[in-house]
């Protein structure tokens, strides 16, 4: 096919949930409430950690940045999705697509590194409590946080760079509610094999690296917990890790299923339920997972409300 025989696509139509027009009002309300609660929960947690000096410790610094990235993820996806429920054409330009994927990839990659950093922090706190302030200094904490953002930015830029090698001359209909790279690859009239390979290599490397740190940290944590003589000490140590382990499990599980599973580039509409989970549900759950199971955060919230 020569260039004269087709026109290049510079904008797309996000089909999203248009297959269920009778449910659009209900879905709009549900997703709007999810977005509202997500933003209030995450940004409220960021503000609480910022204002309360008692929470200026590595664990809460990581948690605050995790909440910030969850807010970024939700902001990248939900406003356009809500607009499309009542939009006639549901159009989005190629550059808007790239911007949407950039911020999503930045948030998800930074989350991977932050969750790994939180696992290491819990390892030091439980396995080496006497050396905690030496091994987990604020300087190291800030360096790890900066590394998470740097890694997220580089990972996003790599995939955005490879998107520029593609041209889109087939259908401009994306059967998704946001611009993910996998639906874009299906519309490319250039073989996206290299892009798919880069997704497997870089996304796989990020997840394998961070999961390895989490697993090694938890191996030593569990070994230390089971060698404790005090049942009270065991329960306390387990409670400090339970929230993080739950968040890690659902986050990495959904990402691995979405991007690293066999034939993940040809699943089409099957991507949508998983994508809803890791882009909308997990950012909604994280503030509650960490806050409701954390007595220190609950006590700070109670004191703040009493002052008002």
């Amino acid at each position: 096919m020569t260039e004269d025989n087709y026109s290049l696509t510079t904008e797309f139509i996000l089909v999203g949930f248009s297959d269920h027009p009778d449910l659009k009002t209900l879905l709009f309300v549900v997703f709007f409430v999810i977005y509202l609660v997500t933003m209030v929960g995450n940004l409220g947690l960021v503000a609480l950690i910022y204002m309360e000096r008692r929470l200026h410790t590595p664990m809460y610094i990581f948690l605050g940045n995790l909440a910030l990235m969850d807010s970024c993820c939700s902001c990248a996806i939900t406003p356009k999705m809500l607009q499309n429920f009542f939009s006639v054409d549901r159009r989005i330009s190629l550059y808007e697509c790239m911007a949407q994927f950039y911020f999503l990839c930045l948030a998800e990659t930074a989350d991977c590194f932050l969750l790994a950093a939180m696992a290491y922090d819990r390892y030091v706190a439980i396995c080496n409590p006497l050396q905690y302030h030496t091994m987990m200094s604020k300087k190291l904490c800030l360096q790890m946080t900066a590394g998470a953002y740097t890694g997220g930015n580089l990972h996003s830029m790599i995939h955005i760079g490879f998107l520029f090698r593609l041209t889109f001359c087939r259908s401009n209909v994306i059967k998704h509610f946001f611009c993910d790279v996998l639906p874009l690859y299906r519309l490319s009239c250039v073989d996206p094999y290299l892009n798919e390979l880069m997704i497997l290599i870089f996304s796989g490397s990020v997840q394998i690296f961070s999961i390895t740190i989490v697993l090694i940290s938890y191996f030593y944590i569990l070994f230390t917990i089971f060698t404790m003589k005090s049942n009270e000490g065991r329960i306390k140590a387990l409670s400090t890790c339970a929230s993080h382990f739950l968040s890690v499990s659902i986050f990495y599980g959904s990402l691995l299923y979405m991007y690293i599973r066999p034939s993940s580039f040809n699943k089409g509409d099957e991507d949508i339920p998983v994508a809803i989970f890791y882009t909308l549900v997990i950012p909604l759950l994280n503030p509650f997972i960490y806050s409701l199971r954390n007595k220190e955060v609950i006590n700070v919230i109670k004191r703040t409300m009493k002052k008002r």
Side-chain angles (χ1 to χ4, degrees), residues 101-155:
F101 175 72
Y102 169 81
F103 287 109
L104 174 66
C105 186
L106 167 64
E108 300 293 351
T109 306
D111 274 358
C112 285
F113 291 127
L114 288 168
L115 288 169
M118 292 170 74
Y120 176 75
D121 175 73
R122 292 300 84 205
Y123 154 73
V124 176
I126 292 171
C127 301
N128 299 281
L130 299 178
Q131 302 177 42
Y132 179 79
H133 293 291
T134 303
M135 294 178 65
M136 203 66 211
S137 63
K138 284 191 177 181
K139 181 180 178 181
L140 177 61
C141 173
L142 293 175
Q143 288 174 341
M144 293 171 78
T145 303
Y149 285 113
T150 303
N153 184 63
L154 290 175
H155 190 218

Side-chain angles (χ1 to χ4, degrees), residues 31-258:
F31 287 123
F32 179 72
V33 170
I34 288 175
Y35 178 61
L36 213 60
V37 175
T38 299
M39 297 305 293
V40 170
N42 282 290
L43 294 180
L45 190 57
V46 171
L48 192 70
I49 292 170
Y50 176 78
M51 292 186 298
E52 183 60 47
R53 293 186 61 85
R54 295 184 183 183
L55 302 181
H56 291 182
T57 62
M59 181 177 73
Y60 292 107
I61 290 173
F62 292 138
L63 179 55
N65 282 279
L66 185 71
L68 188 63
M69 286 296 95
D70 284 343
S71 300
C72 176
C73 177
S74 189
C75 282
I77 302 300
T78 313
K80 186 66 177 178
M81 181 186 69
L82 293 175
Q83 177 190 339
N84 286 342
F85 276 114
F86 298 100
S87 174
V88 176
D89 55 17
R90 301 184 182 89
R91 294 185 182 274
I92 184 170
S93 73
L94 176 61
Y95 292 105
E96 285 179 301
C97 260
M98 291 186 176
Q100 197 175 55
F101 175 72
Y102 169 81
F103 287 109
L104 174 66
C105 186
L106 167 64
E108 300 293 351
T109 306
D111 274 358
C112 285
F113 291 127
L114 288 168
L115 288 169
M118 292 170 74
Y120 176 75
D121 175 73
R122 292 300 84 205
Y123 154 73
V124 176
I126 292 171
C127 301
N128 299 281
L130 299 178
Q131 302 177 42
Y132 179 79
H133 293 291
T134 303
M135 294 178 65
M136 203 66 211
S137 63
K138 284 191 177 181
K139 181 180 178 181
L140 177 61
C141 173
L142 293 175
Q143 288 174 341
M144 293 171 78
T145 303
Y149 285 113
T150 303
N153 184 63
L154 290 175
H155 190 218
S156 302
M157 293 303 295
I158 286 169
H159 295 305
I160 292 296
F162 276 98
L163 274 178
F164 278 107
R165 68 177 287 273
L166 303 180
T167 53
F168 305 94
C169 54
R170 298 172 182 169
S171 168
N172 66 340
V173 176
I174 297 178
K175 295 182 178 180
H176 216 303
F177 61 93
F178 70 95
C179 275
D180 199 0
V181 287
L182 303 187
L184 286 175
Y185 293 167
R186 298 180 192 117
L187 300 181
S188 173
C189 52
V190 175
D191 185 1
Y193 171 76
L194 184 59
N195 298 66
E196 295 172 0
L197 183 62
M198 292 301 102
I199 280 276
L200 288 173
I201 291 173
F202 286 102
S203 296
S205 298
V206 167
Q207 292 186 48
I208 289 169
F209 171 76
S210 52
I211 288 173
T212 300
I213 292 176
V214 170
L215 291 177
I216 292 173
S217 299
Y218 272 97
F219 172 80
Y220 284 105
I221 287 171
L222 291 174
F223 179 78
T224 302
I225 289 173
F226 288 126
T227 55
M228 288 180 178
K229 296 180 180 180
S230 168
N231 286 333
E232 185 179 345
R234 288 180 187 177
I235 294 170
K236 184 178 179 181
L238 284 170
S239 66
T240 62
C241 299
S243 300
H244 179 261
F245 188 75
L246 177 61
S247 182
V248 163
S249 299
I250 59 178
F251 178 75
Y252 284 119
S254 58
L255 281 186
L256 286 170
Y257 181 81
M258 185 69 179

Side-chain angles (χ1 to χ4, degrees), residues 1-8:
M1 184 181 289
T2 62
E3 190 172 342
D4 294 334
N5 292 333
Y6 63 81
S7 58
L8 298 181

